[in-house]
Amino acid sequence: MFRFRPRSSLERYLPFLQEAPLTAQTITPAATASRVEALAAALDYLTEQDLCALCSITPSTAEAWRKRRKGPAYALVGNRVLYPKAGVREFLDSHVRAALVGSKELL
């Protein structure tokens, strides 16, 4: 007589884990991040971290700018946000303040 026995999640995924064991060499976040940065630079884009460093803002501020459509143009690729360098340049140019010339004369 056949008796049904539910398999644990480990038993279910064990064949896949035995085929390709996960090691520190296969998954390295630092290597993935540097590769994304290199690809973004090759395509004339900045990563969100680059924009935050350039503008001295936090990632949550960059997210708020995107939600309010207040910041530079961006491209959403999967779950990554990339900013075209031309769009960042336009954004920075639109925030240039002119120096006050002859401000003492106004007083």
Side-chain angles (χ1 to χ4, degrees):
M1 177 174 209
F2 179 75
R3 178 180 278 181
F4 177 74
R5 182 175 77 91
R7 295 169 53 176
S8 70
S9 59
L10 180 61
E11 289 176 329
R12 190 176 309 138
Y13 295 113
L14 193 58
F16 300 110
L17 294 174
Q18 289 172 345
E19 291 175 10
L22 300 176
T23 62
Q25 289 79 24
T26 57
I27 298 177
T28 55
T32 304
S34 64
R35 185 173 180 184
V36 168
E37 289 174 2
L39 289 170
L43 295 171
D44 280 344
Y45 280 82
L46 296 175
T47 62
E48 185 175 15
Q49 292 80 15
D50 295 336
L51 179 76
C52 291
L54 179 67
C55 298
S56 298
I57 60 171
T58 63
S60 60
T61 301
E63 182 181 1
W65 284 358
R66 287 192 305 272
K67 286 181 180 178
R68 295 180 185 134
R69 299 179 187 266
K70 193 175 182 184
Y74 67 94
L76 189 60
V77 182
N79 61 353
R80 296 190 191 276
V81 179
L82 299 176
Y83 295 90
K85 289 182 180 178
V88 173
R89 202 171 291 120
E90 289 173 13
F91 174 74
L92 293 176
D93 287 343
S94 69
H95 285 79
V96 172
R97 294 182 182 178
L100 290 175
V101 179
S103 59
K104 288 186 178 181
E105 297 170 2
L106 295 174
L107 296 175

